[in-house]
Amino acid sequence: MPMRLEATNDFVVKFANVNGSGSASANRLFARSILRMGVPIASRNIFPSNIQGLPTWYEIRVTEAGHLGRRGGVDLMIAMNPQTFARDLAEIEPGGYLFYDSTRPMPPSKFRSDVNVVGMPLTEIVNARYTDARQRQLFKNIVYVGALAELLGIDLAEVETLIGEQFRGKEKLIPANLEALHMGRDHAAAHLKDAVGLKVRRADAVGNRIFLEGNDAAALGAVYGGATVCAWYPITPSTSMAEAFTKHCHRFRIDPDTGQKRFAIVQAEDELASIGMVIGAAWNGARAFTATSGPGISLMQEFIGLAYFAEVPAVIFDVQRGGPSTGMPTRTQQSDILSAAYASHGDTKHVLLFPEDPRECFAFGALAFDLADRLQTPVFVMLDLDIGMNEWLCEPLAWDDGRRYDRGKVLTAEELEAGRDFGRYLDVDGDGIPYRTYPGTHPSRGAFFTRGTSRDAYARYTEEGAAYVDNMQRLLRKFETAKSLVPKPVREDAANPTRHGVIYFGSTAPAMREALAELKARGIELDTLRVRAFPFAEEVIDFILEHDQVFVVEQNRDGQLKTLLVNEGAIDPARLISVLHYDGAPITARFLIDEIARRWALLTGATNREAAE
């Protein structure tokens, strides 16, 4: 008999299914039941880019300690897809567990000697109860949820409550699902007693935290940030954000007295048209945005340059995925950093925001509209698929009801009538930001049209070199001003002085935090800095200059954040050591521990090599 992993409230479960089998809702039911027992979880949905038939996985990390990044490795594999059986088996930790449908027995050669096999004849059980093929498939998923609840010690009442909530409004479906749930529980209780050494024990570690997707939170942030126009074109993994914005607008953007909709949502014919609509709406005074991904950013380049040069506010939510080209549409990366920072031809620089979780997706989603108005420029909110399409446990969303929108430098009709000198591109205050007017503010004064050609400070067309250079330098001053407006980086220093640091951003944060604790236990102490925006605040450059070497952790092949740091901060590249992860799966704590420890040993010499082992 192989050894048995024994753990309570600290293990990883992974479901291997087939896309289109109806397993997603059952797997989420299982995950949420653990949350209802007061135990934090971190879930990751790994799905194909087709509609049906390819493998899909759903990974749940049960973590009373609150580690919300991926750990790496699997302790209990629910192997429901014969096509990926060998691959799924290989992921299991020694002493871990394989739960599979044993209706058709498999020879011992198909298993691993160091893995505990838990077989349950799921197909046989559902075939004996149901005659309809679709019912057999759907209820098989609920049957295995019931069995797992019994094996892991999950309170079945919590699952029953969740089933009632899931089918609210469709009450006729509740008894059949409860029956299937109990079928699985009863079989496991009778035939699989103490088959698994992993247990869920009721705790009080979730607190008041909420469980939601980043795309949903960002969409709500757009509503709270004053957005009334969304123009978009469907693309994975951003489509759910536009859909969520629609849902939130029907709740918050309909006049309660007249029933009139106070929003406009347009599915454009392509990405270029969508950003064009956003720019047009924003120029007219609306707060407008689009949601897209890397291929969409590529197609929007010309209009992004127009918004930058004509100085029109626009907000772009980029939910990054694997590239280039079509790449891996349903896999995560942080690979649009450079294409967004310098989007369009010519000399451009754009503001980027890097949220770490759904709570910051909400906060930065709202802030982006203030920044776009204040700076009169495009602002990118850089999510990725891991944040955008997975449910994360995070602190409740926060909003100050006393907060007022920052519309920036907008002249009124009264100011124009009083004879105030108005130059649309005139830098009056020395911060690079000119004053603007909304179209129609005054019958004869103010701006009535805009264009992307060279002009002087009073918006008069000119190709005179001096005027062009003056305008381009003013745009740089505005970008410098942005440094004081964007979110500051978050720094945490090690307990003891160190000459080494690490910079990270976005969805890497939870795995990075967990890795730091293990690295410290190995004697590797690092000061840390989480970058939250570009342009980089002075604190970012100072952090690098204070250390001999700084690890830069990112999820792309080419070290795009490192490139930005070198280019924009005039940093010696030798100071920065890239730690890169880009296979499409979210980064894991184990990867970070292994990579940083290995590189640390090389940096500090043979005396510290034991730290890497």
Side-chain angles (χ1 to χ4, degrees), residues 16 33 51 164 180 202 312 330 349 396 404 416 434 472 478 550 613:
S33 68
I51 296 174
R202 191 173 291 278
V312 179
T330 59
K349 291 184 181 182
R404 296 293 177 264
L416 293 169
M472 294 297 286
K478 181 166 71 170
V550 175
E613 298 175 355

Side-chain angles (χ1 to χ4, degrees), residues 16 57 140 178 201 205 414-415 452 471 523 539 548 562:
W57 294 268
K140 181 163 73 171
L178 291 178
R201 180 183 60 207
E414 291 74 20
E415 289 173 310
N471 189 63
E539 293 93 327
D548 294 337
K562 175 184 173 182

Side-chain angles (χ1 to χ4, degrees), residues 584-603:
I587 200 166
T588 68
R590 286 183 178 178
F591 170 84
L592 289 170
I593 293 164
D594 292 344
E595 280 296 299
I596 292 176
R598 179 178 66 83
R599 292 167 184 267
W600 173 275
L602 294 174
L603 284 173

Side-chain angles (χ1 to χ4, degrees), residues 126 129-141 173 176 180:
V126 295
R129 174 62 182 85
Y130 308 104
T131 56
D132 178 77
R134 185 59 177 166
Q135 278 190 327
R136 286 174 171 176
Q137 177 59 60
L138 294 176
F139 286 123
K140 181 163 73 171
N141 302 323
L173 299 177

Side-chain angles (χ1 to χ4, degrees), residues 224-429:
Y224 272 72
T228 56
V229 176
C230 170
W232 66 293
Y233 185 77
I235 182 171
T236 302
S238 70
T239 294
S240 64
M241 184 184 168
E243 294 170 343
F245 182 73
T246 303
K247 175 188 68 177
H248 295 314
C249 281
H250 278 95
R251 182 180 177 188
F252 295 114
R253 288 271 187 269
I254 294 180
D255 188 301
D257 298 323
T258 66
Q260 182 178 3
K261 295 179 180 178
R262 294 176 170 174
F263 61 91
I265 300 172
V266 182
Q267 182 176 323
E269 61 267 33
D270 55 37
E271 285 89 350
L272 184 61
S274 69
I275 189 62
M277 294 174 185
V278 167
I279 294 168
W283 181 73
N284 275 282
R287 288 193 153 187
F289 76 93
T290 190
T292 189
S293 191
I297 299 297
S298 297
L299 292 169
M300 294 177 184
Q301 296 284 309
E302 186 173 0
F303 267 158
I304 292 173
L306 170 65
Y308 174 80
F309 200 55
E311 297 180 69
V312 179
V315 173
I316 302 167
F317 291 89
D318 180 4
V319 190
Q320 300 166 88
R321 72 188 207 185
S325 188
T326 304
M328 297 191 292
T330 59
R331 299 294 188 264
T332 195
Q333 279 188 8
Q334 297 171 319
S335 55
D336 296 346
I337 307 303
L338 290 176
S339 62
Y342 301 125
S344 196
H345 56 278
D347 294 321
T348 57
K349 291 184 181 182
H350 303 295
V351 174
L352 313 181
L353 305 180
F354 303 119
E356 70 162 344
D357 62 7
R359 190 174 194 269
E360 282 196 344
C361 288
F362 171 78
F364 290 3
L367 174 64
F369 293 92
D370 278 353
L371 291 173
D373 272 351
R374 177 80 175 271
L375 295 165
Q376 301 172 33
T377 197
V379 173
F380 291 78
V381 184
M382 306 297 291
L383 294 79
D384 58 42
L385 184 145
D386 186 22
I387 297 178
M389 293 193 70
N390 284 316
E391 293 176 303
W392 287 49
L393 194 63
C394 66
E395 295 299 320
L397 309 183
W399 185 258
D400 179 3
D401 288 333
R403 176 173 169 176
R404 296 293 177 264
Y405 299 145
D406 183 354
R407 300 309 300 257
K409 299 180 179 182
V410 181
L411 293 179
T412 65
E414 291 74 20
E415 289 173 310
L416 293 169
E417 184 65 28
R420 175 166 177 167
D421 182 27
F422 174 61
R424 174 63 186 93
Y425 300 108
L426 184 66
D427 186 0
V428 176
D429 304 315

